[in-house]
Amino acid sequence: MRSLPPPRWRRQATASLAVAALTGALASGTAHAADYERIVNGTFSGGTADPWWSSAGVTNRVVGGELCATVTGGTANPWDALIGQNGVPFEAGQSYRMSFDAYATAPQAIAANAGEAVAPYRGIARHGVTLTTTKQTYSFTFTPELDFPDAGNGQISFQLGGNAADNTICVDNISLVGGVKPPGGDAGPAPKKINADQVAYLPGLPKRATLTSTATTPQTWTLKNAAGATVATGQTTPKGVDAASGDSTHVIDFSSYDTTGTGYTLSVGTETSFPFDISADRFKQLRYDALAFFYHQRSGIEIQAQHVGETYARPAGHLNVAPNQGDDNVPCKSDLACGYTLDVRGGWYDAGDHGKYVVNGGISAWQVLNTYERALRLGDASALGDGKLNIPEKANGVPDILDEARWEVEFLLKMQAPDGMAHHKIHDAAWTGLPLLPHQDPQARRLSATSTAATLNLAAVAAQAARIWKTIDPAFSAKAQAAAVKAYAAAKANPNKIADPNDGTGGGSYSDNTLSDEFYWAAAEMFATTGEASYRADVTGSALYKGQSLNQRGFDWGSTGPLGDITLAIVPNGLPAADVAAIRQAFTTTADGLLSQFASMAYPAAYRTTDGSYEWGSNGLIANNASVLALAHDFTGAAKYREGVFEILHYLLGRNPVSYSYVTGYGSQPVKNVHHRHWANQLDATLPTAPPGVLSGGPNSGLQDPIAARLLPGCKPQKCFVDHIEAYSLNEVTVNWNSAFAWVANWAAEKSSSAPADTTPPTVPGAPVASAITTTGATLTWTASSDAESGVKDYDVVAVEGDALRVVATVTGTTYAVTGLRPDTAYRFAVVARNGAGLRSAMSPIGTFTTKADGGTYCKVTYRQSTWGTGLSANITIQNTSGSPWSSWTLKFMWPGSQKITQGWSANWSQSGQVVTGTNVGWNGSVPAGGSVQVGLNASSTPPHAEPTDFTVNGQRCTKG
């Protein structure tokens, strides 16, 4: 396991671009009522500007322990350039004293302001000073006539505009002392003493809750229905002090009660849980709400009321409509001088900000696509079809989940630079604040440098997309595959281009120093899509091959090796059957380790770090661990893994020590105040809270934001949480956490049938028998399998190639026409049946046949080469033996060794790995029946300079002269 890369620092604020008449009364010399400091991070001792924000035309940086704001000149009014901090509490009638140190590169008048952060921007106090080039201390006192509570609309700002020339203003030791109420509020409502899943328990599965009690003996619990009638009782099991929460705990196990219903509660003495259901219905809806998150996060398109309701409808963001500066012609950062701009409209906003990041968008798009691909191959994809999601594309004949993912995939393709590398991210030039809807963002947009990590993310997702859209949209598939090939080659040529960890102004840095996992993931996707030998060698040669990166911490945007393993475990490929089995075994081994944690946890979360702490986005890591358990069930059918997935969902939905459902809109006490710029009801009552189905980042021992640090010092790992919009290190939402959650929610909905799980595989089908054999194909037919419980769903047709097994097709009937074979060649095939529960039969007996000899009816290739120590020169004659003229031609062959083309003539030559492709040039595309064309090339080569043997023209195999 490797350490998590540095977290994304979130800056939050709002730039008040208008200033109302000031209603406060300046005073002098009055004593403050209490020594309560109201400003967060006024000394900048930690080296960051959080939570100070800047308006358009202003860039904040912490230099030498001071906040220095670079201000673009030419503004008309003082309030046209601002820095400030929101959520500052004020009490009407109380005295406050504000002080700060400041100086400027050039002397300038500025004003310090106290007031309101949103319309109508009422003022409390204003104090103007003239800065010199020498640091001085300034102070003033005032008494507000307005009340602003914690996390309200109170604001401190500095007006820096109105100058013709650029300038830099530095401030430090900013303090606001006064008032009689302690700042910071509290960490929310007191937790319940009985914590259960606030949503539902599934009939037929274990049902457990947690009691907080110092009692050392079993306590009597009571289960009541919605009418208040007792339906079951029992005794708790004392667990002692739980390490992750610090609670003294008991476990309540009411698994024996299995009657479907709503509004159940658990009681011990006078303590009662939040109500919950025993039902599969809520899990079935959860899958769609979790997936709906991505439409809400779309950039570059209007979010329409007909799809989300009036509350969440909004204009399109970042389409170059004022005040947006747009994503249609975005330049690189000024220090890069890349010499071009890109049209990067579309995609998903990453989190609560307006940035779009390739490394986080990559895993997010991949997980949404894999939700479909896994269901297609191991489960039931019917619930993800066209019309299942409420999105604009819901009636186009394509599964809606693919339409949603394509919105992000298209954006990722746009982030590819001309040289094949991918830009790491695109976001605002300076941090914007809360609240701020995307179409109101005034900041300039900038591309950050290309990086190897981003390029490999692009290669992996584009290859995955090419595979999935191959028959749905062949043109898009080809476009994606071409981008993937180009990106992978560029990453191999630039293997250590690390994203700048200090590139954190206006957006998170997302830097990652270890790229072996991205290389493995991308190679796995390229191999699964193309089958090419060079990608296979990169997969099998990786130190991460066969599940070596799986661990109990979980995977995320910075640890992507397991994504490659998932693809290799579920997508048909040419790897040896023993290797595929080893990859699947790695999932079950890791899943067993996760399950072993449950025995010692009062609130089972299946997540372990080396020091027991919880990290930024712990809920996302926990959801990804749930997917490991889910895949272990897919691979084995073992009930314990299915039960483990639902135990984790119980934790996320309320069985945790802070008594929150971490999913918005689900449970009696769901999180509401997630860190987001337009789901910002806590800051602006005219804006909504988040829609249902959004996963909060969850507990984080690091407490990397001022609100968390103020409210939760010394917290136990699972208790390091507060539902506060500005607690961004705890309560942020992101596309990659919701993609992990949506994957698990879909799996849980699929597996939420109350019927007993089918654990019996189908019977072994008969050996395939070949008929209608030609030079390039045959029809295979076999005796059907049977399955009394779930029925036979489909069959994998398996090519047996030495010690390797390759699935060439999945069919629902008992016949399959094999094509694309070689003439006069022996082939071996078998079939494997799969039932409705996803269980596979043993492989059938192998059927063998030989294709007919080729009479050379389409083409003939004559290959002649001369060699020297380090190279070769080849002359190739291509003859049309088909009896019909060719209007164009494409020649393909594979080098038998490490040869590389260095020069060619009479054809457009290209090479990918060992595969060589030549296409006609303008003057030699027409070849009459019986005619021929001569082409040639030079290549680097090493003895013994072996010649290629297999040639095709226009996909047809040729005889060799």
Side-chain angles (χ1 to χ4, degrees), residues 207-211 219 221 235-240 249-254 598-599 601-604 655:
K207 303 173 190 66
R208 302 184 184 99
T210 304
L211 167 69
Q219 304 293 296
W221 59 261
Q235 295 289 301
T236 67
T237 301
K239 292 279 292 183
T249 60
H250 294 227
V251 171
I252 300 170
D253 191 330
F254 58 107
F598 287 179
M601 300 184 77
Y603 308 96
R655 189 190 172 193

Side-chain angles (χ1 to χ4, degrees), residues 264-344:
Y264 290 102
T265 56
L266 284 165
S267 298
V268 176
T270 59
E271 303 294 339
T272 303
S273 71
F274 285 124
F276 53 85
D277 298 350
I278 298 177
S279 171
D281 293 343
R282 298 298 301 279
F283 294 108
K284 293 177 181 178
Q285 180 59 37
L286 183 58
R287 72 161 29 124
Y288 297 122
D289 285 338
L291 286 168
F293 169 86
F294 299 98
Y295 176 64
H296 285 278
Q297 291 290 107
R298 285 192 192 185
S299 174
I301 188 174
E302 178 188 1
I303 305 304
Q304 297 177 330
Q306 63 180 305
H307 303 302
V308 298
E310 292 291 345
T311 300
Y312 294 102
R314 59 174 174 82
H318 298 100
L319 284 185
N320 206 28
V321 176
N324 281 171
Q325 298 192 39
D327 284 357
D328 57 337
N329 195 30
V330 181
C332 295
K333 291 175 58 186
S334 59
D335 58 339
L336 298 178
C338 64
Y340 55 83
T341 63
L342 293 181
D343 179 350
V344 291

